[in-house]
């Protein structure tokens, strides 16, 4: 049967002027299955990485301007396309910050939508029904745009699909209570127009969805009375110019959904495949009135496959990309992963036989967020299952999940750790994913309730399975901090992809507060130790020049009088000390701090939490970051491929974050004067380097254009003149 898995929040909803609107114009797929573009109903476009649930970039138009259609991603040019104020097309790349400085072109007629399929060229659909390829439109933005629609006919919905390697723009219109379907094929341009059958008087479609199969377009539409109809038209039908009247397209009743009392007001149906439809905003058949659900229905056998209650207001919007449903409801935009098997009567009735091992039944859901977010699917043959089952039956006794959960609640620490170790010794760890989450939650809950109970070894083993993440067991890291189990904290930072910024900052505060003597007792990553030992072994080695910076240049920089608080060259002896080349923290403490540097975060979410750090902790952390930067700037610094270590970019990003959060306090702290001068010299050296590179940029470009002689013999001298 189809399954809806545990959902998660991608972002909050911006306040909308219309209370009936979610504030989101559209959710569009980006470069791959893990990135989407969210366009709000006013001024902003945001790029999200779905698995991290974090924004990567955001762009906003000026106050007074409005985005009038959802942004799309052009994979051919790696650019984003959006429309503001109806007629202004904006095109920009990800690295651009300000939309006002991006490319703009004003067209002669109002635009309804810009559509773009993966690998295809963007297509512009105008409000009066005309269609243009984006490149053709931009070649002459003020070209005359014809009116395809009749008077008082308006577009209600549109999409774009590819059939037979040809793009087809599909849109529906309404005119005086009648609804029409248009199919516009590109290259060559042909237009087909159909009229949809009317429903009961006063009922109009709430949503449309389209798919293509076997050269036929399948249109699905939902009415307020719960009726889901399907109309099928051929892509190679008659053109609009071949008949004065629109053809009446036949329809068939696909589903009659329960609506409870009254009619549906905000609902949507979306085609998943030939046999499955996702519906949101419709009551569950067995639930009480007043509750809205997300459901997956099997249209072949008229059966409900999966259902999930959606809290808050439903806005009748639903998008689907890469086995994930995107639904705005309440005050959030949620992502609901799903899957479905090949349609059969047995699976539709939930009676499909599943292969079973001798020890356990196959789980009916995928409980691990790691698998849900990254869509990892383990495939094993029946013979492999049998071999592993025989091996397990000989090597480990059978332990049920319920038995070990009950054991954790009452047994002493030693017995629990022993049983968990035996339980995890089974070869098929992926099959234990539901159990791993339940075991971790039970261990954490008991540890929080009973101060005398704590199983660090078992918790570390569960984290090492990589079947856990912070969302599955959100109290695990906080428990480790409470028990001062910094080894477990380090493991969670290393293996969890979804650590919240508040937890990251809590770990930073704990790590930097540990005395070096206590930190040396913490078990840390051997690769991290090897990396730090290689740095510390060169504390007194020669420092060369790399990336435009050398420590010797700091003396010259300070003599320029560009200091803090009027510091001049006469203060050089006070501010320049050899301690910059000595690691300010111990070996193990440095390894723990490196884990913080390598943890994923969002600047906007992390910055408020960094402000809670004390000035002493900030100063110490900046001194450590300065030490790392100096070591990374040495010509003699060895390559660290294969060793777990932060990158130079990560180091500099953290320097910027700390300065943003605490600059005023640092300026007023006398102990920070020398450090700020050093950081100033870092920036100055980089500016100097970029300036020098800019002077020879033209020459380097000319060198790149020069034709290389293929046959130069064994020896040659070539004179290149640079102007």
């Amino acid at each position: 049967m189809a399954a809806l898995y545990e959902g998660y929040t991608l972002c909050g909803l911006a306040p909308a002027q219309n209370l009936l609107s979610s504030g989101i114009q559209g959710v569009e797929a980006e470069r791959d299955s893990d990135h989407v573009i969210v366009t709000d109903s006013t001024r902003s476009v945001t790029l999200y990485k779905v698995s991290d649930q974090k924004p990567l970039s955001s762009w906003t138009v000026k106050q007074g301007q409005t985005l009038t259609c959802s942004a799309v991603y052009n994979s051919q040019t790696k650019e984003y396309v959006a429309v503001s104020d109806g007629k202004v097309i904006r095109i920009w790349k990800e690295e651009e910050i300000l939309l006002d400085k991006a490319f703009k072109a004003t067209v002669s007629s109002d635009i309804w939508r810009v559509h773009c399929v993966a690998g295809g060229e963007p297509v512009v659909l105008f409000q009066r029904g005309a269609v243009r390829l984006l490149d053709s439109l931009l070649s002459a933005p003020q070209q005359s745009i014809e009116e395809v629609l009749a008077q008082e006919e308006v577009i209600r919905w549109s999409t774009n699909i590819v059939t037979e390697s040809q793009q087809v723009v599909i849109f529906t219109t309404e005119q005086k209570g009648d609804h029409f379907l248009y199919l516009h094929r590109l290259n060559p341009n042909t237009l087909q127009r159909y009229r949809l059958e009317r429903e009961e008087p006063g009922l109009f479609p709430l949503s449309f969805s389209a798919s293509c199969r076997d050269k036929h377009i399948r249109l699905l539409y939902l009415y307020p009375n719960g009726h889901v109809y399907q109309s099928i038209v051929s892509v190679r039908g008659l053109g609009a110019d071949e008949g004065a009247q629109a053809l009446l397209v036949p329809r068939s009743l696909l589903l009659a959904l329960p609506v409870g009392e009254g009619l549906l007001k905000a609902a949507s149906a979306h085609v998943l495949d030939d046999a499955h439809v996702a519906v949101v905003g419709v009551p569950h058949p067995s639930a009480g009135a007043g509750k809205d659900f997300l459901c997956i229905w099997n249209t072949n056998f008229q059966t409900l496959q999966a259902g999930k209650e959606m809290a808050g207001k439903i806005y009748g919007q639903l998008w689907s990309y890469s086995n994930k449903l995107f639904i705005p409801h309440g005050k959030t935009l949620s992502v609901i992963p799903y899957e479905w098997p090949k349609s059969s009567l047995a699976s539709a009735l939930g009676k499909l036989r599943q292969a079973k091992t001798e020890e356990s039944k196959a789980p009916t859901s995928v409980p691990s967020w790691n698998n849900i977010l990254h869509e990892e699917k383990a495939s094993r043959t029946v013979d492999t299952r049998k071999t592993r089952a025989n091996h397990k039956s000989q090597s480990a006794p059978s332990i049920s999940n319920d038995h070990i959960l009950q054991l954790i609640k009452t047994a002493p620490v030693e017995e629990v750790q022993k049983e968990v170790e035996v339980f995890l010794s089974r070869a098929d760890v992926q099959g234990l994913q539901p159990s791993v989450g339940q075991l971790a939650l039970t261990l954490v809950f008991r540890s929080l309730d009973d101060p005398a109970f704590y199983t660090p070894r078992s918790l570390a083993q569960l984290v090492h399975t990589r079947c856990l993440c912070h969302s599955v067991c959100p109290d695990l890291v906080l428990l480790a901090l409470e028990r001062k189990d910094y080894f477990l904290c380090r493991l969670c930072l290393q293996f969890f992809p979804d650590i919240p910024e508040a937890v990251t900052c809590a770990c930073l505060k704990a790590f930097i507060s540990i005395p070096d003597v206590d930190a040396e007792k913490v078990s840390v990553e051997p690769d991290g130790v090897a990396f730090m030992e290689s740095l510390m072994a060169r504390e007194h080695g020669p420092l060369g020049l790399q990336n435009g910076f050398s420590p010797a240049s700091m003396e010259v920089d300070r003599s320029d009088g560009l200091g803090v608080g009027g510091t001049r060259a006469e203060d050089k002896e006070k501010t320049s000390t050899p301690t910059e080349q000595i690691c300010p923290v111990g070996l193990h403490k440095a390894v723990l701090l490196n884990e913080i540097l390598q943890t994923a975060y969002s600047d906007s979410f992390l910055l408020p939490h960094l402000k809670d750090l004390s000035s002493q902790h900030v100063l110490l952390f900046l001194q450590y970051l300065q030490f790392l930067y100096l070591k990374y700037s040495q010509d003699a610094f060895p390559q660290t491929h294969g060793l777990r270590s932060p990158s130079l970019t990560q180091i500099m990003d953290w320097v910027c974050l700390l300065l943003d959060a605490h600059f005023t306090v640092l300026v007023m702290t006398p102990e920070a004067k020398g450090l700020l001068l050093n950081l100033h010299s870092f920036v100055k050296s980089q500016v100097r380097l970029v300036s020098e590179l800019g002077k020879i940029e033209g020459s380097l470009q000319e060198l790149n254009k020069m034709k290389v002689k293929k046959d130069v013999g064994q020896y040659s001298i070539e004179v290149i003149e640079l102007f």
Side-chain angles (χ1 to χ4, degrees):
M1 295 178 65
L4 291 169
Y5 298 127
E6 188 65 30
Y8 47 93
T9 299
L10 183 64
C11 64
L13 300 182
Q17 297 178 353
N18 184 357
L19 296 178
L20 299 178
S21 170
S22 67
I24 292 182
Q25 288 197 62
V27 178
E28 299 286 342
E30 213 241 5
R31 69 197 78 170
D32 54 37
S33 61
D34 198 28
H35 293 79
V36 294
I37 315 162
V38 179
T39 307
D40 68 25
S41 57
T42 53
R43 302 168 50 215
S44 298
V45 177
T46 307
L47 170 64
Y48 286 93
K49 186 174 182 181
V50 180
S51 59
D52 289 344
Q53 305 160 46
K54 294 178 181 178
L56 299 181
S57 299
S58 183
W59 304 272
T60 306
V61 295
K62 281 185 176 181
Q63 189 75 31
Q65 299 174 338
T66 304
L67 293 172
T68 49
C69 84
S70 57
V72 297
Y73 180 71
N74 184 354
S75 59
Q76 292 182 344
T77 61
K78 295 180 172 55
E79 294 175 325
Y80 300 91
V81 184
V83 177
S84 63
D85 302 319
K87 295 182 178 180
V88 182
I89 299 176
R90 297 173 181 264
I91 302 176
W92 72 96
K93 291 185 178 291
E94 184 175 350
E95 57 268 18
E96 297 185 52
I97 300 175
L98 300 176
L99 276 187
D100 192 54
K101 295 184 179 180
F103 172 83
K104 295 187 290 288
T106 302
V107 296
S108 61
S109 182
D110 286 333
I111 295 173
W112 165 259
R113 287 288 186 272
V114 178
H115 293 290
C116 187
V117 295
E121 182 182 345
V123 177
V124 179
L125 172 62
F126 290 87
Q127 288 191 4
R128 300 307 302 157
V131 175
R132 294 285 191 279
L133 289 170
L134 181 62
D135 285 349
S136 173
L137 179 62
L138 294 179
S139 64
Q142 288 298 309
Q143 61 185 270
S144 177
I145 304 299
E146 70 276 10
E147 291 196 7
V148 176
L149 306 185
Q151 191 175 7
E152 298 184 9
E153 188 177 5
V154 293
I155 299 177
R156 294 302 185 194
W157 168 86
S158 65
T159 189
N160 186 25
I161 63 175
V162 175
T163 175
E164 297 182 320
S165 302
Q166 190 174 35
Q167 290 198 64
V168 179
V169 178
I170 306 171
F171 59 98
T172 61
T173 64
E174 180 186 354
Q175 182 189 24
K176 298 179 180 179
D178 286 323
H179 284 79
F180 299 89
L181 169 66
Y182 287 80
L183 305 182
H184 188 125
R185 286 198 303 168
L186 299 168
N187 297 326
N189 288 304
T190 60
L191 181 66
Q192 301 164 229
R193 183 172 185 255
Y194 300 92
R195 182 167 61 87
L196 302 179
E197 291 185 38
R198 281 197 178 195
E199 188 66 357
E200 302 173 17
L203 295 185
F204 305 106
L206 293 175
S207 72
F208 293 91
S209 179
S211 61
C212 181
R213 183 185 178 187
D214 297 333
K215 303 177 185 179
H216 286 79
I217 302 295
R218 177 191 182 196
L219 182 70
L220 201 78
Y221 39 108
L222 168 66
Y223 280 92
N225 57 6
H227 288 182
V228 179
Y229 290 99
Q230 174 182 265
S231 294
I232 299 177
V233 296
S234 173
V235 177
R236 297 181 176 179
L238 293 175
D241 55 344
E242 297 184 38
Q245 298 294 328
L247 297 175
L248 180 66
V249 61
R251 70 179 186 182
S252 58
L253 182 62
L254 209 59
L255 289 171
L257 302 174
V259 297
E261 300 178 1
L263 299 173
L264 301 175
K265 295 182 179 179
S268 181
H270 188 88
V271 177
L272 300 181
D273 68 358
D274 293 338
H276 295 88
V277 174
V279 183
V280 68
V282 178
H284 193 284
S286 60
K291 294 183 178 180
D292 290 316
F293 279 76
L294 168 66
C295 299
I296 295 181
W297 288 81
N298 186 306
T299 57
N300 287 347
F301 304 105
Q302 306 287 305
T303 56
L304 177 63
Q305 299 283 281
K308 186 178 184 65
E309 184 177 355
M310 306 303 295
K313 182 180 180 62
I314 297 295
Y315 301 97
Q317 292 175 301
L318 176 63
W319 297 273
S320 175
Y321 301 108
S322 304
N323 283 31
K324 301 181 187 74
L325 296 169
F326 296 81
I327 306 168
H329 63 102
K331 296 182 178 180
T332 62
L333 173 62
S334 292
V335 182
I336 312 293
Y338 69 93
E339 70 175 6
W340 68 93
K342 185 177 180 180
S343 178
S344 66
L345 181 59
S347 64
L349 298 177
K351 299 183 180 295
L352 186 65
R353 285 192 172 187
Q354 304 291 339
K356 300 177 182 179
T357 65
E358 297 177 2
E359 299 174 35
S360 61
K361 296 181 179 180
T364 57
S365 64
V366 179
S368 169
W369 272 50
N370 286 349
N371 271 10
I372 292 173
L373 296 179
H374 300 291
E375 300 177 357
E376 298 173 357
K377 296 183 179 179
S379 58
R380 297 174 178 84
T381 63
V382 176
D383 292 339
T384 305
R385 287 198 188 102
K386 291 179 179 179
T387 303
R388 289 183 175 178
N390 293 335
H391 173 73
K392 287 185 286 183
S393 63
Q394 296 172 5
S395 61
S398 176
I399 305 174
S400 69
N401 190 36
D402 293 337
H403 169 73
I404 196 168
L405 290 176
Q406 290 299 322
L407 189 71
I408 291 174
K409 296 177 181 179
T410 56
V413 172
E414 294 77 10
E415 185 177 353
V416 169
Q417 292 193 144
K418 180 180 178 181
E419 292 299 327
V420 171
E421 185 174 354
V422 172
F423 189 74
L424 294 177
S425 64
R426 293 199 262 184
D428 189 5
V429 176
Q430 295 294 329
L432 298 177
Q433 286 176 355
S435 304
V436 167
Q438 292 172 345
L439 289 177
L441 285 171
T442 308
L443 286 171
V444 169
F445 288 156
R446 183 178 174 186
S447 299
L448 292 172
D449 293 337
D450 183 4
F453 180 86
Y454 187 59
T455 55
R457 190 175 71 196
S458 297
L459 291 172
Q461 289 173 335
L462 293 173
V463 174
H464 267 296
T465 64
R466 303 195 181 215
C467 297
L468 278 180
C469 62
H470 183 271
S471 304
V472 171
C473 192
D475 294 325
L476 178 56
V477 182
L478 299 180
L479 171 65
L481 289 173
E482 180 184 318
R483 298 300 180 97
K484 297 184 178 180
D485 187 353
Y486 302 121
F487 170 70
L488 182 58
C489 290
R490 182 188 64 77
L491 286 181
C492 294
L493 289 172
Q494 181 176 345
F495 292 123
F496 289 0
D498 57 345
I499 295 285
E501 285 76 2
V503 176
T504 300
C505 203
C507 291
L508 170 60
K509 190 181 299 184
F511 290 169
I512 208 164
S513 302
I514 311 172
D516 287 340
V517 176
D518 295 337
E520 294 304 312
K521 301 175 184 177
V522 180
S523 178
V524 293
E525 185 79 19
D527 283 349
V529 174
F531 168 74
M532 288 308 303
E533 285 178 341
S534 67
L535 261 64
M536 294 181 177
R538 297 175 177 269
E539 286 180 354
H540 305 291
L543 297 181
L545 177 67
Q546 185 171 331
N547 295 329
F549 172 77
S550 71
S553 67
M554 290 192 295
E555 306 297 333
V556 178
D557 291 338
R558 290 175 186 167
S559 66
D560 294 340
L562 297 174
V564 178
T567 299
R568 300 281 179 177
E570 60 264 26
D571 297 325
K572 180 175 63 177
E573 294 181 359
K574 298 180 181 179
T575 58
S576 179
T577 64
T579 57
E580 299 152 357
Q581 303 177 26
I582 301 175
C583 185
V585 298
L587 176 62
H588 283 213
K589 189 171 181 176
V591 175
L592 292 175
L593 292 176
N594 287 348
E595 288 295 341
I596 297 290
L597 298 180
Q598 297 173 82
T599 303
Y601 64 86
S602 172
D603 295 10
S604 56
F605 293 120
L606 182 61
L607 199 59
H609 300 290
L610 286 178
K611 294 180 180 180
D612 295 334
L613 294 175
S614 67
S615 58
Q616 291 79 8
H617 288 161
V618 172
L619 187 58
L620 178 60
F621 197 23
L622 280 173
Q623 288 170 346
Y624 175 64
L625 294 173
Q626 175 189 244
F627 164 78
L628 291 179
Y629 182 86
L630 286 172
K631 294 303 175 183
Y632 276 59
S633 300
Q634 294 182 25
D635 285 332
F637 180 70
Q639 295 297 317
T640 58
H641 298 301
L643 296 181
R644 184 163 178 79
S645 58
S647 66
L648 181 61
T649 301
Q650 290 171 330
I651 294 169
M652 297 311 298
D653 286 346
W654 272 92
V655 170
C656 296
L657 283 169
L658 290 170
L659 291 177
D660 286 344
H662 292 274
F663 185 74
T664 304
V665 176
L666 290 171
V667 169
M668 302 300 293
T669 304
E671 296 85 354
K673 181 187 293 185
L675 176 63
L676 291 178
L677 281 172
N678 290 346
L679 295 177
H680 175 266
S681 69
F682 296 168
V683 176
K684 189 174 181 181
S685 65
Q686 294 298 310
V687 172
R688 185 186 300 119
L689 173 64
V690 173
S691 176
E692 294 298 325
L693 290 176
K695 295 177 181 178
I696 63 172
E697 180 182 7
S699 300
L700 294 176
Q701 290 177 348
E702 291 300 321
L703 283 175
N704 191 41
K705 296 177 182 178
M706 293 180 63
K707 296 181 179 180
V708 180
K709 297 180 180 179
K710 295 183 179 180
D711 186 14
V712 295
Q714 295 182 349
Y715 177 79
S716 67
I717 297 176
E718 186 172 354
V719 178
I720 300 175
E721 295 182 2
L722 300 178
F723 298 96

